[in-house]
Amino acid sequence: MALTPAAGSGCGASSTPPPPTQSERPANSDVEWDNFDSHAYLRHNYSALRADDREILCRTRDFFADAGLSDVRCVDVGSGANLYPALSLLPFARAMDLCEWSASNVGWLRTQIDGYDELWDPYWQVCAEHPAYSALADPRGRLAQVGRVRQTSVFDLPRRTWDAGTMFFVACSISADRAEFQHAVGRFLSALQPGSPFAVAFMLGSRGYHVGQRWFPAVELQRVDVVASIAAGAYDLNVHEVPPTPPLRDGYLSMLLATGRTHG
Ligand SMILES: C[S@@+](CC[C@H](N)C(=O)[O-])C[C@H]1O[C@@H](n2cnc3c(N)ncnc32)[C@H](O)[C@@H]1O
């Protein structure tokens, strides 16, 4: 995820003064997600491929390439204005559901699904450094064929529905309520069939983030919090911390990628 030139991934566009919201610790339902500025978020985070996103994408690519997937149902949760998690699953997808709650982000995703912007070509090129991906000659056409945008909350995901999934910079960045962070991780994992490979990314130490003029809440997480939230629902867990090089924005410590498989 990344918001812009101080950017990289997943959350935010600029530095992080205290939240101008009514609640001290806003819950997901306190936030006006429909006004999320998809274009500001895209510009800040993904207009140029950052080293941290490249590293996360390479690791995710290698993980899915080794996972033995073929012709499966895939999901990316809280896609926002980021296509690279979906690209990391594309060669293996019979169907690719992009589940997002914000109406503005759903609208942006629908503009991308039938022919995504050139901005994403460098991200695909990173994928295509692996033969499992370069075998897919027309990723744009494939996403148009298998992709579907669904306006769905992570908290309402159906259970045991997909065979592989990603959720990048979502559970950490949709609420200031720690219980909601844990709930979001749990719902994501239980939306996958037992044994499904998954990749999830988090901002560590985030105190919230701006997108355009608006401030959005976060849960200030440490690595141990993320591992604890995933461990009960997964096995073969692998966790990798990606230092900010340079930081995407103020107000966070690093990014963390976790891969694994879901328990039954
Ligand atoms: C920090 S952004 C991350 C976006 C993207 N995954 C990325 O990697 O940059 C958090 C995303 O979660 C979405 N979101 C907020 N509440 C949600 C919910 N209840 N269910 C699903 N997505 C939600 C937001 O609209 C936003 O797109």
Side-chain angles (χ1 to χ4, degrees), residues 2-27:
L3 292 179
T4 313
S9 284
C11 307
S14 61
S15 61
T16 311
T21 51
Q22 298 141 330
S23 165
E24 276 288 298
R25 304 176 75 77

PDB file of all heavy atoms in Angstrom, residues 2-27:
ATOM      1  N   ALA A   2       0.612   2.050  -0.498  1.00  0.00           N
ATOM      2  CA  ALA A   2       1.527   3.103  -0.328  1.00  0.00           C
ATOM      3  C   ALA A   2       0.790   4.375  -0.621  1.00  0.00           C
ATOM      4  O   ALA A   2      -0.023   4.417  -1.474  1.00  0.00           O
ATOM      5  CB  ALA A   2       2.629   2.886  -1.272  1.00  0.00           C
ATOM      6  N   LEU A   3       1.031   5.414   0.065  1.00  0.00           N
ATOM      7  CA  LEU A   3       0.516   6.716  -0.371  1.00  0.00           C
ATOM      8  C   LEU A   3       1.721   7.402  -0.979  1.00  0.00           C
ATOM      9  O   LEU A   3       2.719   6.946  -0.922  1.00  0.00           O
ATOM     10  CB  LEU A   3      -0.005   7.482   0.783  1.00  0.00           C
ATOM     11  CG  LEU A   3      -1.247   6.927   1.413  1.00  0.00           C
ATOM     12  CD1 LEU A   3      -1.634   7.778   2.570  1.00  0.00           C
ATOM     13  CD2 LEU A   3      -2.394   6.786   0.539  1.00  0.00           C
ATOM     14  N   THR A   4       2.011   8.428  -1.339  1.00  0.00           N
ATOM     15  CA  THR A   4       3.036   8.990  -2.220  1.00  0.00           C
ATOM     16  C   THR A   4       4.463   9.138  -1.848  1.00  0.00           C
ATOM     17  O   THR A   4       4.961   8.576  -0.985  1.00  0.00           O
ATOM     18  CB  THR A   4       2.616  10.362  -2.560  1.00  0.00           C
ATOM     19  OG1 THR A   4       1.345  10.198  -2.888  1.00  0.00           O
ATOM     20  CG2 THR A   4       3.421  10.979  -3.590  1.00  0.00           C
ATOM     21  N   PRO A   5       5.095  10.095  -2.413  1.00  0.00           N
ATOM     22  CA  PRO A   5       6.512  10.212  -2.265  1.00  0.00           C
ATOM     23  C   PRO A   5       7.033  10.157  -0.883  1.00  0.00           C
ATOM     24  O   PRO A   5       8.048  10.435  -0.656  1.00  0.00           O
ATOM     25  CB  PRO A   5       6.896  11.537  -2.846  1.00  0.00           C
ATOM     26  CG  PRO A   5       5.866  11.715  -3.845  1.00  0.00           C
ATOM     27  CD  PRO A   5       4.682  10.890  -3.444  1.00  0.00           C
ATOM     28  N   ALA A   6       6.525  10.004   0.011  1.00  0.00           N
ATOM     29  CA  ALA A   6       7.267   9.541   1.141  1.00  0.00           C
ATOM     30  C   ALA A   6       6.781   8.145   1.255  1.00  0.00           C
ATOM     31  O   ALA A   6       6.821   7.539   2.230  1.00  0.00           O
ATOM     32  CB  ALA A   6       6.955  10.316   2.360  1.00  0.00           C
ATOM     33  N   ALA A   7       6.291   7.622   0.336  1.00  0.00           N
ATOM     34  CA  ALA A   7       5.397   6.558   0.340  1.00  0.00           C
ATOM     35  C   ALA A   7       5.757   5.118   0.290  1.00  0.00           C
ATOM     36  O   ALA A   7       6.703   4.685   0.439  1.00  0.00           O
ATOM     37  CB  ALA A   7       4.713   6.641  -0.888  1.00  0.00           C
ATOM     38  N   GLY A   8       4.978   4.237  -0.182  1.00  0.00           N
ATOM     39  CA  GLY A   8       5.256   2.865  -0.314  1.00  0.00           C
ATOM     40  C   GLY A   8       4.010   2.169  -0.190  1.00  0.00           C
ATOM     41  O   GLY A   8       3.466   1.716  -1.130  1.00  0.00           O
ATOM     42  N   SER A   9       3.521   2.075   0.849  1.00  0.00           N
ATOM     43  CA  SER A   9       2.484   1.171   0.905  1.00  0.00           C
ATOM     44  C   SER A   9       1.475   1.561   1.848  1.00  0.00           C
ATOM     45  O   SER A   9       1.703   2.139   2.826  1.00  0.00           O
ATOM     46  CB  SER A   9       2.975  -0.103   1.350  1.00  0.00           C
ATOM     47  OG  SER A   9       3.609  -0.643   0.330  1.00  0.00           O
ATOM     48  N   GLY A  10       0.474   1.062   1.562  1.00  0.00           N
ATOM     49  CA  GLY A  10      -0.686   0.895   2.233  1.00  0.00           C
ATOM     50  C   GLY A  10      -1.328   1.889   3.019  1.00  0.00           C
ATOM     51  O   GLY A  10      -2.422   1.719   3.401  1.00  0.00           O
ATOM     52  N   CYS A  11      -0.871   2.948   3.376  1.00  0.00           N
ATOM     53  CA  CYS A  11      -1.680   3.743   4.220  1.00  0.00           C
ATOM     54  C   CYS A  11      -1.184   5.121   4.159  1.00  0.00           C
ATOM     55  O   CYS A  11      -0.185   5.414   4.706  1.00  0.00           O
ATOM     56  CB  CYS A  11      -1.585   3.305   5.629  1.00  0.00           C
ATOM     57  SG  CYS A  11      -1.917   1.614   5.813  1.00  0.00           S
ATOM     58  N   GLY A  12      -1.879   5.930   3.626  1.00  0.00           N
ATOM     59  CA  GLY A  12      -1.661   7.270   3.928  1.00  0.00           C
ATOM     60  C   GLY A  12      -0.955   8.026   2.897  1.00  0.00           C
ATOM     61  O   GLY A  12      -0.343   7.541   1.995  1.00  0.00           O
ATOM     62  N   ALA A  13      -1.087   9.268   3.059  1.00  0.00           N
ATOM     63  CA  ALA A  13      -0.499  10.089   2.061  1.00  0.00           C
ATOM     64  C   ALA A  13       0.421  11.079   2.640  1.00  0.00           C
ATOM     65  O   ALA A  13       1.268  11.594   1.961  1.00  0.00           O
ATOM     66  CB  ALA A  13      -1.574  10.769   1.306  1.00  0.00           C
ATOM     67  N   SER A  14       0.317  11.404   3.859  1.00  0.00           N
ATOM     68  CA  SER A  14       1.177  12.454   4.355  1.00  0.00           C
ATOM     69  C   SER A  14       1.427  12.226   5.829  1.00  0.00           C
ATOM     70  O   SER A  14       1.083  11.212   6.370  1.00  0.00           O
ATOM     71  CB  SER A  14       0.527  13.808   4.120  1.00  0.00           C
ATOM     72  OG  SER A  14      -0.680  13.856   4.809  1.00  0.00           O
ATOM     73  N   SER A  15       2.028  13.191   6.468  1.00  0.00           N
ATOM     74  CA  SER A  15       2.380  12.999   7.861  1.00  0.00           C
ATOM     75  C   SER A  15       1.143  12.945   8.732  1.00  0.00           C
ATOM     76  O   SER A  15       0.044  13.178   8.277  1.00  0.00           O
ATOM     77  CB  SER A  15       3.304  14.094   8.322  1.00  0.00           C
ATOM     78  OG  SER A  15       2.651  15.307   8.193  1.00  0.00           O
ATOM     79  N   THR A  16       1.341  12.682   9.987  1.00  0.00           N
ATOM     80  CA  THR A  16       0.225  12.209  10.784  1.00  0.00           C
ATOM     81  C   THR A  16       0.006  12.976  12.072  1.00  0.00           C
ATOM     82  O   THR A  16       0.348  12.498  13.128  1.00  0.00           O
ATOM     83  CB  THR A  16       0.448  10.726  11.089  1.00  0.00           C
ATOM     84  OG1 THR A  16       0.780  10.074   9.878  1.00  0.00           O
ATOM     85  CG2 THR A  16      -0.756  10.093  11.693  1.00  0.00           C
ATOM     86  N   PRO A  17      -0.562  14.143  11.984  1.00  0.00           N
ATOM     87  CA  PRO A  17      -0.968  14.820  13.203  1.00  0.00           C
ATOM     88  C   PRO A  17      -2.185  14.142  13.803  1.00  0.00           C
ATOM     89  O   PRO A  17      -2.748  13.244  13.186  1.00  0.00           O
ATOM     90  CB  PRO A  17      -1.308  16.244  12.745  1.00  0.00           C
ATOM     91  CG  PRO A  17      -1.529  16.147  11.294  1.00  0.00           C
ATOM     92  CD  PRO A  17      -0.866  14.904  10.793  1.00  0.00           C
ATOM     93  N   PRO A  18      -2.613  14.558  14.994  1.00  0.00           N
ATOM     94  CA  PRO A  18      -3.731  13.870  15.634  1.00  0.00           C
ATOM     95  C   PRO A  18      -4.994  13.937  14.786  1.00  0.00           C
ATOM     96  O   PRO A  18      -5.174  14.864  14.007  1.00  0.00           O
ATOM     97  CB  PRO A  18      -3.932  14.638  16.944  1.00  0.00           C
ATOM     98  CG  PRO A  18      -2.688  15.423  17.117  1.00  0.00           C
ATOM     99  CD  PRO A  18      -2.090  15.635  15.786  1.00  0.00           C
ATOM    100  N   PRO A  19      -5.865  12.955  14.950  1.00  0.00           N
ATOM    101  CA  PRO A  19      -7.060  12.853  14.129  1.00  0.00           C
ATOM    102  C   PRO A  19      -8.063  13.968  14.392  1.00  0.00           C
ATOM    103  O   PRO A  19      -8.421  14.202  15.538  1.00  0.00           O
ATOM    104  CB  PRO A  19      -7.671  11.514  14.581  1.00  0.00           C
ATOM    105  CG  PRO A  19      -7.050  11.224  15.904  1.00  0.00           C
ATOM    106  CD  PRO A  19      -5.716  11.856  15.886  1.00  0.00           C
ATOM    107  N   PRO A  20      -8.554  14.603  13.335  1.00  0.00           N
ATOM    108  CA  PRO A  20      -9.583  15.611  13.501  1.00  0.00           C
ATOM    109  C   PRO A  20     -10.970  15.001  13.492  1.00  0.00           C
ATOM    110  O   PRO A  20     -11.844  15.442  12.789  1.00  0.00           O
ATOM    111  CB  PRO A  20      -9.362  16.508  12.290  1.00  0.00           C
ATOM    112  CG  PRO A  20      -8.821  15.592  11.255  1.00  0.00           C
ATOM    113  CD  PRO A  20      -8.085  14.496  11.976  1.00  0.00           C
ATOM    114  N   THR A  21     -11.146  13.930  14.226  1.00  0.00           N
ATOM    115  CA  THR A  21     -12.444  13.271  14.254  1.00  0.00           C
ATOM    116  C   THR A  21     -13.062  13.452  15.636  1.00  0.00           C
ATOM    117  O   THR A  21     -12.383  13.794  16.588  1.00  0.00           O
ATOM    118  CB  THR A  21     -12.295  11.767  13.983  1.00  0.00           C
ATOM    119  OG1 THR A  21     -11.310  11.264  14.865  1.00  0.00           O
ATOM    120  CG2 THR A  21     -11.867  11.506  12.572  1.00  0.00           C
ATOM    121  N   GLN A  22     -14.364  13.142  15.706  1.00  0.00           N
ATOM    122  CA  GLN A  22     -15.043  13.351  16.986  1.00  0.00           C
ATOM    123  C   GLN A  22     -14.577  12.325  18.011  1.00  0.00           C
ATOM    124  O   GLN A  22     -14.429  12.619  19.168  1.00  0.00           O
ATOM    125  CB  GLN A  22     -16.548  13.208  16.792  1.00  0.00           C
ATOM    126  CG  GLN A  22     -17.077  14.261  15.844  1.00  0.00           C
ATOM    127  CD  GLN A  22     -18.139  13.687  14.928  1.00  0.00           C
ATOM    128  OE1 GLN A  22     -18.129  12.510  14.598  1.00  0.00           O
ATOM    129  NE2 GLN A  22     -19.050  14.535  14.507  1.00  0.00           N
ATOM    130  N   SER A  23     -14.349  11.107  17.545  1.00  0.00           N
ATOM    131  CA  SER A  23     -14.014  10.056  18.488  1.00  0.00           C
ATOM    132  C   SER A  23     -12.504   9.969  18.668  1.00  0.00           C
ATOM    133  O   SER A  23     -11.741  10.135  17.744  1.00  0.00           O
ATOM    134  CB  SER A  23     -14.542   8.726  17.937  1.00  0.00           C
ATOM    135  OG  SER A  23     -13.960   7.675  18.628  1.00  0.00           O
ATOM    136  N   GLU A  24     -12.083   9.684  19.869  1.00  0.00           N
ATOM    137  CA  GLU A  24     -10.657   9.501  20.156  1.00  0.00           C
ATOM    138  C   GLU A  24     -10.109   8.269  19.452  1.00  0.00           C
ATOM    139  O   GLU A  24      -8.990   8.275  18.976  1.00  0.00           O
ATOM    140  CB  GLU A  24     -10.477   9.317  21.660  1.00  0.00           C
ATOM    141  CG  GLU A  24     -10.413  10.616  22.431  1.00  0.00           C
ATOM    142  CD  GLU A  24      -9.101  11.341  22.190  1.00  0.00           C
ATOM    143  OE1 GLU A  24      -8.048  10.773  22.528  1.00  0.00           O
ATOM    144  OE2 GLU A  24      -9.134  12.457  21.662  1.00  0.00           O
ATOM    145  N   ARG A  25     -10.915   7.217  19.440  1.00  0.00           N
ATOM    146  CA  ARG A  25     -10.470   5.962  18.826  1.00  0.00           C
ATOM    147  C   ARG A  25     -11.562   5.484  17.880  1.00  0.00           C
ATOM    148  O   ARG A  25     -12.336   4.581  18.202  1.00  0.00           O
ATOM    149  CB  ARG A  25     -10.224   4.913  19.917  1.00  0.00           C
ATOM    150  CG  ARG A  25      -9.237   5.368  20.982  1.00  0.00           C
ATOM    151  CD  ARG A  25      -9.096   4.331  22.079  1.00  0.00           C
ATOM    152  NE  ARG A  25      -8.296   3.214  21.626  1.00  0.00           N
ATOM    153  CZ  ARG A  25      -6.971   3.250  21.527  1.00  0.00           C
ATOM    154  NH1 ARG A  25      -6.325   4.331  21.860  1.00  0.00           N
ATOM    155  NH2 ARG A  25      -6.308   2.211  21.111  1.00  0.00           N
ATOM    156  N   PRO A  26     -11.628   6.086  16.684  1.00  0.00           N
ATOM    157  CA  PRO A  26     -12.737   5.759  15.792  1.00  0.00           C
ATOM    158  C   PRO A  26     -12.786   4.281  15.408  1.00  0.00           C
ATOM    159  O   PRO A  26     -11.744   3.671  15.140  1.00  0.00           O
ATOM    160  CB  PRO A  26     -12.490   6.631  14.562  1.00  0.00           C
ATOM    161  CG  PRO A  26     -11.222   7.348  14.795  1.00  0.00           C
ATOM    162  CD  PRO A  26     -10.727   7.081  16.162  1.00  0.00           C
ATOM    163  N   ALA A  27     -13.992   3.764  15.402  1.00  0.00           N
ATOM    164  CA  ALA A  27     -14.218   2.404  14.911  1.00  0.00           C
ATOM    165  C   ALA A  27     -14.434   2.474  13.414  1.00  0.00           C
ATOM    166  O   ALA A  27     -14.620   3.551  12.837  1.00  0.00           O
ATOM    167  CB  ALA A  27     -15.435   1.810  15.602  1.00  0.00           C
TER     168      ALA A  27
END
